[in-house]
Amino acid sequence: MWQRSPSDGKMAGETSESSGTSLLHDAAATASKPRHFLKDVIFHGKFQLLNCLTPEENTGCQHGLYFQDGERRVDYILTYHIKKPSSSRSNRQSSRFTDNAFTRSLRRGTARLGRAPPPQPRGDPEVASQDHSMDYHVDDKRLHREEFEGNLRDMGMELEKDEDTKTPGVGFVKIHAPWHVLCREAEFMKLKMPTKKVYEMKQSTGVGAKINTLVNKVTEPLYPNVEDNRTQNIKHLSYMFSREKQHLFDLSDRDSFFDSKTRASIVFEVLKRTKCTKAKYSMGFTSLLGSGVYTDAYPLHDGDLDGENVEPNDRKLLYEEWASYSVFYKYQPIGLVRKYFGEKIGLYFAWLGLYTQMLIPASLVGVIVFLYGCATVDDNIPSMEICHPKNNITMCPLCDRACSYWKLKEACGTARASHLFDNPATVFFSIFMALWAAMFMEHWKRRQMRLNYEWDLTGFEEEEDHPRAEYELRVMQKSLKKEHKTQKTEKEKLTCRDRLPAYMTNVVMMLLMIGVTFAIVFGVILYRISTKTALHMSNNPTTRSNVRLTVKTTAAIINLVVILILDEVYGAVARWLTVLEVPKTDKSFEERLIFKTFILKFVNAFTPIIYIAFFRGRLVGRPGSYLYVFESYRMEECAHGGCLMELCIQLSITMLGKQLIQNNLFEIGIPKLKKLIRYIKSKRRSFQEEEREKKLQRYETDHFLEPFAGLTPEYMEMIIQFGFVTLFVASFPLAPLFALLNNIIEIRLDAKKFVAELRRPVAARAKDIGIWYNLLRAVAKVAVIINAFVISFTSDFIPRLVYQYMYSPDGSMHDFVNHTLSYFNVSNFQDGKEPMDPQHQVEMCRYKDYREPPWSNTPYVISKEFWAVLAARLAFVIVFQNVVMLMSDIVDWLIPDIPKDISLQIHKEKILMVELFMKEEQGKIQFIDSMIPCGGKEKHNNHAPIARSRSIPHTHSHTHANNF
């Protein structure tokens, strides 16, 4: 539609000043004509507009990337709900040309002549809705939109509406930022832009440079076919944009100087600053979105991904070289990702790529540790003793009444499987993973600094955010209530009575977390106990022989299902608690939401694992004096090989289940399901979808995409995975391998989602990953402590060492199994707890514990071997924790946070910038000298030092482009 441009005062879209004047004269002349004549004039105006567009411009308009003039690019889209008239679509005469400059000039011309304006076309949705006595709230929203859009025009924006689209009930406002607005806002936002000055980046020399050259040649096939991903030896010197120093920048092509990502972010900043001030209470852009005045706001994608005659664009290039599974083995085009989506999203994918690369050595070491366990299982003396055919050790029943005595050799399979994960190599692997986590954190800091330099973010500082829509609405509601009571209209801040304090929401979160999570764990414990008893009572010998495996696997699957369900519940609860706090800014809201969500989901995922690792089998009691739940359920105990095998089963099922179901299937299925629902709501039929898709404008196609919900879900699943990789890695050395395989798919899955399934997000500048880095460091520190306790208390590593060096007669592991078993006289069973149908006549049975035998002076009392093992375990925890953390600190100290070449380049840029301004000053002084007449030149030279000294500081504050 034609709009009046604030920059030049002319109608945007008119071919010349004379044509616009003639149209106004024609409007005044035709004001008194009959209605049928008015229709002919309107039709003639439409035809004239269509003729003034070239075929190329018409093609661009059809794609929806430009205004109707085919020249001004659409930088941002606002959508709102419109109420269509009750008449059929075929009888309506509305079109996107009805509310243009021509028809508005008709109304203005008739008003000047004192005549009543001609009636609006019946198809105009807003006028028709007024004729049908539109609801008050709808009319109020329309008035807010008119005021807001008028304020946007006053800010210099150019707008164009489109209500006659193939998306029923949705109106679109296209926003274009002209050149002077882009320059003004770029200066306000302190955007660094490349100058004309280029310099050569210093290349390292020596052995390191030769190694890098060799590595680059070997890895050449791994780089995507994107120019931005190549290492450039030439770099433009960047400087904060200034309208007074435009001569420093290359403005030969103004259309491409500010790319689409930058233009959209500039428009978004203008939108956030614009307010509706004529309303009773001031409403900002976020408040307008939250109250339904506008339904959506988003920038446009650059173009289509496929189809006939699709022009090359960054989106299509990203889809081919980044979002395709066929390029899974290649590096990511991080430079192009940042160029299209902005620095914040670029940093996420850079971090994810580095994390995935670092998983490669961890996976290799984990596989080696696992293979070592497989290779040495036949040489493991304790498992050989358990599996020996002559082993005739009778063990005490595993449950009351229903369970009978059993032979230790029946646990042969469990003992051999436990050795795969419980061997001396797992201790080395735990130390390795702790150092790996430290190296990963340091490597990321260096990578982050390099990206800050390459993306011109070295001097970037985040500014204070604008208030959130919910905060402004809550303030408005408070002021409204106060006005009704005290007749005061001043705007006040929210107090503790208007919002829930943060400490109260944290208390609620902790109570909820403790209550629900531990209730679920307790329920699974009861399931284990009751199912084990029921299976032991089965008449099927196969069922009785596989009781442990059945109970372990089914309980782990139940835990997985509960974790997946509670993850969604906890996500909603965390958001609800954060909303109750009413944070003022988006940054504060995001940080509080991330913290609450992380705590809840972390505890939800790891509580069952922590129970198996540190509590199961330790609160059992002994034969004849077991501990019971509700006086009937006996607490469960670990298998003879220890709880490490069960811990491995629970960890593997939880990790793989979350990755396959939650991270992959949900990410693929839910966006497609939501998109299908949008099509159904818009009354689109499946057989018409392909044909309609070809006719949709770009902004209509993007409207049906899923809105961008932020990076919190993406980071959250990776942080939880990082916990699986590091926290209990001593019990599951294959965790890095499964994480690596998942991330290879995850990168391409996220890439495809961002490029094809989501609306284009507004580019946000960021120099780091924010609170996520602190969470990573916290998980890495906790991992050292947890692995120390897993090795010390969950595995048999410490008892084996104590036996080998303190109690073994020959320093070997022979007779270790017998050393760890205590005796129990079956006559000491409590009444009603002995086996109902014992298969063996037994006087003594064995159980795993360090207790005195029944024939000693203090029967069943904890023996001195228990205290010796406990002291060794505690000592190991202290030594392991301090040594590993000391080694991690040494790694942090040895690896500098800023690469040396980057620090040198930053220093070089500062020197070049000073030289550039000094050269500018010299040129200005020479220009002034050349303008002074010869008679006064000698006098001027006598005072040259004074003039020179005064001109230098003056130039930093005010320099015109035409002076250079």
Side-chain angles (χ1 to χ4, degrees):
M1 292 31 328
W2 288 350
Q3 303 286 350
R4 181 171 297 278
S5 173
S7 59
D8 52 12
K10 297 192 302 183
M11 307 300 279
E14 58 190 27
T15 55
S16 65
E17 185 178 359
S18 60
S19 63
T21 307
S22 63
L23 285 174
L24 291 176
H25 285 298
D26 292 342
T30 58
S32 59
K33 298 294 183 181
R35 181 166 181 162
H36 65 83
F37 182 77
L38 180 62
K39 292 183 179 179
D40 294 338
V41 174
I42 295 176
F43 175 79
H44 176 72
K46 296 178 185 179
F47 184 75
Q48 182 179 0
L49 175 62
L50 288 174
N51 285 338
C52 75
L53 296 177
T54 64
E56 292 79 4
E57 292 169 337
N58 276 320
T59 303
C61 297
Q62 286 299 321
H63 286 89
L65 294 174
Y66 294 88
F67 279 23
Q68 288 301 317
D69 56 13
E71 295 180 356
R72 292 172 294 170
R73 186 178 183 89
V74 178
D75 297 323
Y76 212 85
I77 289 292
L78 303 178
T79 67
Y80 56 92
H81 177 72
I82 56 176
K83 187 176 181 181
K84 291 291 184 180
S86 58
S87 59
S88 62
R89 184 180 178 89
S90 60
N91 293 331
R92 292 198 305 263
Q93 299 179 10
S94 62
S95 76
R96 64 191 56 170
F97 298 101
T98 55
D99 190 22
N100 54 19
F102 179 71
T103 55
R104 287 195 299 273
S105 65
L106 289 178
R107 295 194 289 270
R108 287 194 297 268
T110 55
R112 293 191 192 98
L113 295 176
R115 299 183 179 90
Q120 291 289 331
R122 288 174 294 173
D124 193 339
E126 295 191 357
V127 176
S129 59
Q130 290 179 8
D131 293 339
H132 288 85
S133 63
M134 187 172 55
D135 181 75
Y136 168 75
H137 296 289
V138 177
D139 187 58
D140 193 50
K141 291 178 181 179
R142 180 181 61 82
L143 294 176
H144 278 85
R145 284 199 301 272
E146 290 178 353
E147 180 192 351
F148 184 76
E149 291 164 12
N151 292 337
L152 284 179
R153 293 188 183 96
D154 294 340
M155 294 285 289
M157 295 296 179
E158 298 178 2
L159 310 181
E160 184 177 87
K161 282 190 176 182
D162 189 358
E163 293 181 348
D164 185 32
T165 64
K166 296 179 178 62
T167 307
V170 180
F172 296 89
V173 179
K174 295 176 279 187
I175 303 177
H176 169 77
W179 172 256
H180 71 277
V181 174
L182 295 174
C183 294
R184 181 191 70 204
E185 298 299 325
E187 184 173 355
F188 290 165
M189 296 169 62
K190 300 178 181 179
L191 296 181
K192 275 190 173 183
M193 304 300 294
T195 64
K196 298 177 183 178
K197 177 69 175 180
V198 296
Y199 67 95
E200 184 177 0
M201 298 175 63
K202 184 179 180 181
Q203 301 295 320
S204 58
T205 57
V207 180
K210 295 181 179 179
I211 294 176
N212 288 335
T213 303
L214 178 62
V215 171
N216 290 334
K217 289 182 178 180
V218 173
T219 58
E220 181 71 20
L222 302 180
Y223 287 95
N225 298 323
V226 178
E227 293 182 0
D228 292 342
N229 205 66
R230 305 293 180 177
T231 302
Q232 301 292 337
N233 295 331
I234 302 297
K235 188 177 184 298
H236 282 269
L237 188 64
S238 296
Y239 185 69
M240 283 188 293
F241 186 82
S242 173
R243 287 171 291 179
E244 297 178 349
K245 300 184 183 299
Q246 291 189 27
H247 57 280
L248 298 177
F249 306 93
D250 184 9
L251 304 180
S252 58
D253 186 6
R254 292 190 172 186
D255 293 336
S256 62
F257 182 74
F258 296 106
D259 56 17
S260 59
K261 174 255 301 181
T262 306
R263 296 174 70 98
S265 61
I266 287 176
V267 173
F268 183 66
E269 287 296 323
V270 176
L271 290 172
K272 290 195 296 184
R273 291 205 315 268
T274 308
K275 295 181 180 295
C276 289
T277 56
K278 293 182 181 179
K280 196 167 189 179
Y281 298 99
S282 177
M283 295 180 66
F285 173 62
T286 52
S287 299
L288 295 177
L289 275 176
S291 59
V293 176
Y294 291 103
T295 55
D296 280 308
Y298 51 90
L300 296 181
H301 281 292
D302 278 354
D304 296 327
L305 297 176
D306 50 16
E308 298 180 358
N309 301 323
V310 176
E311 298 181 357
N313 55 76
D314 289 343
R315 186 190 185 197
K316 183 176 177 59
L317 187 60
L318 281 172
Y319 189 78
E320 295 173 350
E321 296 295 332
W322 182 47
S324 175
Y325 290 105
S326 60
V327 294
F328 73 93
Y329 61 92
K330 291 187 176 182
Y331 294 114
Q332 298 182 85
I334 294 299
L336 186 60
V337 174
R338 173 253 180 180
K339 177 183 176 183
Y340 191 78
F341 291 109
E343 288 79 7
K344 194 170 185 178
I345 295 177
L347 281 174
Y348 163 72
F349 282 103
W351 174 84
L352 181 58
L354 179 64
Y355 171 50
T356 304
Q357 292 178 25
M358 292 291 291
L359 283 174
I360 296 176
S363 302
L364 292 177
V365 177
V367 171
I368 293 174
V369 170
F370 178 75
L371 294 178
Y372 170 82
C374 295
T376 59
V377 67
D378 292 332
D379 299 330
N380 184 38
I381 296 177
S383 61
M384 290 173 61
E385 291 182 350
I386 294 174
C387 298
H388 198 277
K390 295 183 179 180
N391 182 5
N392 198 30
I393 299 177
T394 302
M395 303 296 294
C396 295
L398 298 175
C399 63
D400 294 338
R401 303 293 290 168
C403 301
S404 182
Y405 303 104
W406 57 286
K407 296 296 184 179
L408 181 59
K409 60 184 177 182
E410 296 177 11
C412 175
T414 304
R416 290 174 61 87
S418 298
H419 178 74
L420 301 179
F421 307 100
D422 186 6
N423 55 71
T426 58
V427 179
F428 158 76
F429 189 55
S430 299
I431 299 175
F432 170 81
M433 288 303 296
L435 298 179
W436 172 88
M439 293 186 66
F440 165 61
M441 303 300 292
E442 291 301 312
H443 195 179
W444 168 244
K445 285 194 291 188
R446 291 170 60 85
R447 173 68 169 155
Q448 191 171 253
M449 286 302 304
R450 188 175 295 276
L451 291 177
N452 285 340
Y453 165 72
E454 294 175 357
W455 295 351
D456 299 322
L457 295 171
T458 50
F460 170 71
E461 294 294 338
E462 294 186 5
E463 298 180 356
E464 185 179 357
D465 284 341
H466 297 274
R468 298 175 58 247
E470 291 80 359
Y471 182 85
E472 290 185 338
L473 288 174
R474 191 67 65 88
V475 171
M476 185 190 310
Q477 292 172 0
K478 180 187 176 183
S479 301
L480 186 61
K481 292 179 181 178
K482 192 169 185 64
E483 178 191 2
H484 289 316
K485 292 181 180 180
T486 62
Q487 299 298 324
K488 293 182 180 180
T489 59
E490 66 271 16
K491 194 172 184 179
E492 300 181 2
K493 294 184 178 180
L494 295 179
T495 61
C496 294
R497 293 179 296 177
D498 304 299
R499 55 180 176 177
L500 203 61
Y503 74 89
M504 291 186 63
T505 59
N506 292 335
V507 169
V508 173
M509 179 184 68
M510 294 298 295
L511 293 176
L512 176 70
M513 179 178 62
I514 294 173
V516 176
T517 304
F518 285 93
I520 296 297
V521 172
F522 188 70
V524 175
I525 292 173
L526 295 182
Y527 165 80
R528 291 172 182 265
I529 297 172
S530 58
T531 304
K532 183 189 297 182
T533 304
L535 292 179
H536 274 292
M537 296 175 65
S538 174
N539 296 326
N540 190 342
T542 304
T543 303
R544 291 198 303 268
S545 61
N546 295 316
V547 169
R548 285 185 177 275
L549 181 61
T550 304
V551 173
K552 293 174 188 176
T553 306
T554 55
I557 294 175
I558 292 174
N559 269 322
L560 172 63
V561 174
V562 172
I563 287 171
L564 294 179
I565 295 174
L566 286 183
D567 265 353
E568 303 302 320
V569 175
Y570 282 155
V573 169
R575 178 169 291 275
W576 172 66
L577 292 175
T578 309
V579 169
L580 289 180
E581 296 178 10
V582 196
K584 184 175 181 179
T585 62
D586 287 327
K587 182 178 180 181
S588 175
F589 180 87
E590 183 182 19
E591 289 182 349
R592 297 186 188 188
L593 177 62
I594 288 172
F595 176 75
K596 290 179 175 60
T597 307
F598 172 76
I599 294 296
L600 290 173
K601 291 190 174 184
F602 185 86
V603 173
N604 179 46
F606 289 101
T607 299
I609 300 173
I610 291 174
Y611 162 73
I612 295 175
F614 303 125
F615 296 98
R616 186 181 177 185
R618 309 190 187 283
L619 304 174
V620 178
R622 61 171 179 83
S625 181
Y626 285 114
L627 297 179
Y628 291 89
V629 180
F630 302 135
E631 298 182 355
S632 57
Y633 294 98
R634 196 177 97 184
M635 290 297 293
E636 55 184 346
E637 51 188 306
C638 297
H640 181 76
C643 285
L644 200 64
M645 186 62 191
E646 299 182 26
L647 177 62
C648 176
I649 294 175
Q650 179 68 56
L651 187 64
S652 58
I653 291 179
T654 303
M655 179 180 179
L656 296 179
K658 282 180 64 68
Q659 291 183 166
L660 293 176
I661 298 175
Q662 190 177 45
N663 298 352
N664 293 332
L665 294 182
F666 283 7
E667 287 189 7
I668 296 174
I670 290 180
K672 292 187 179 296
L673 181 61
K674 290 183 177 180
K675 187 176 181 181
L676 178 62
I677 294 175
R678 274 197 176 83
Y679 279 122
I680 295 175
K681 286 184 177 180
S682 63
K683 301 179 181 179
R684 297 166 58 92
R685 299 293 183 263
S686 58
F687 63 89
Q688 297 175 342
E689 179 177 338
E690 183 177 356
E691 188 65 26
R692 286 177 177 268
E693 198 68 43
K694 296 178 181 179
K695 299 179 181 179
L696 287 180
Q697 301 283 356
R698 175 78 264 158
Y699 47 86
E700 294 180 83
T701 304
D702 287 3
H703 177 71
F704 289 103
L705 297 178
E706 180 73 12
F708 175 65
L711 291 171
T712 299
E714 315 300 333
Y715 273 114
M716 189 64 67
E717 64 182 66
M718 288 295 107
I719 297 295
I720 298 296
Q721 184 200 85
F722 184 77
F724 282 115
V725 169
T726 56
L727 290 178
F728 295 92
V729 73
S731 62
F732 191 38
L734 297 179
L737 175 63
F738 289 115
L740 173 64
L741 297 177
N742 173 81
N743 288 4
I744 291 175
I745 301 175
E746 179 75 19
I747 290 176
R748 307 303 164 180
L749 184 64
D750 284 347
K752 187 174 183 179
K753 181 174 65 174
F754 273 82
V755 174
E757 301 290 341
L758 297 179
R759 294 176 188 166
R760 187 176 184 179
V762 179
R765 290 185 295 170
K767 61 189 304 183
D768 52 42
I769 60 176
I771 191 175
W772 299 108
Y773 181 80
N774 298 329
L775 295 178
L776 282 171
R777 288 190 64 89
V779 171
K781 297 294 184 182
V782 173
V784 176
I785 301 173
I786 288 185
N787 279 300
F789 277 95
V790 168
I791 296 172
S792 181
F793 286 89
T794 308
S795 72
D796 284 338
F797 177 74
I798 298 300
R800 287 197 297 264
L801 287 180
V802 172
Y803 174 78
Q804 186 175 3
Y805 292 102
M806 293 183 62
Y807 299 103
S808 176
D810 54 358
S812 66
M813 295 301 297
H814 289 288
D815 205 35
F816 169 73
V817 174
N818 185 61
H819 177 75
T820 59
L821 298 178
S822 300
Y823 290 89
F824 177 73
N825 192 333
V826 297
S827 62
N828 294 331
F829 271 122
Q830 296 175 349
D831 293 337
K833 304 298 183 182
E834 66 277 1
M836 291 187 300
D837 187 18
Q839 300 177 359
H840 310 280
Q841 295 297 327
V842 178
E843 295 182 1
M844 291 285 181
C845 66
R846 309 290 296 273
Y847 62 99
K848 188 175 182 180
D849 203 349
Y850 293 100
R851 291 183 181 270
E852 296 292 341
W855 57 80
S856 68
N857 295 329
T858 55
Y860 309 125
V861 175
I862 294 175
S863 63
K864 61 179 182 180
E865 288 85 354
F866 171 84
W867 300 111
V869 172
L870 179 62
R873 282 173 167 169
L874 294 176
F876 177 83
V877 168
I878 296 174
V879 172
F880 182 90
Q881 173 185 339
N882 286 278
V883 170
V884 173
M885 286 191 173
L886 177 62
M887 296 173 67
S888 300
D889 292 339
I890 293 175
V891 170
D892 293 347
W893 177 71
L894 290 177
I895 302 177
D897 294 344
I898 305 177
K900 185 177 180 180
D901 60 326
I902 296 300
S903 60
L904 293 176
Q905 295 295 341
I906 293 175
H907 181 67
K908 182 178 180 180
E909 278 196 357
K910 293 179 180 179
I911 297 176
L912 291 175
M913 187 61 65
V914 173
E915 292 178 354
L916 178 64
F917 283 111
M918 292 300 296
K919 184 178 179 180
E920 176 189 353
E921 294 300 325
Q922 293 175 2
K924 181 179 178 181
I925 293 174
Q926 292 176 2
F927 176 78
I928 294 175
D929 290 345
S930 64
M931 297 297 293
I932 297 176
C934 295
K937 191 170 184 179
E938 182 178 355
K939 182 179 179 180
H940 172 73
N941 289 337
N942 294 334
H943 301 280
I946 301 177
R948 185 181 302 271
S949 63
R950 291 180 179 178
S951 63
I952 291 177
H954 174 72
T955 307
H956 287 286
S957 60
H958 187 74
T959 304
H960 294 283
N962 57 1
N963 290 339
F964 184 64

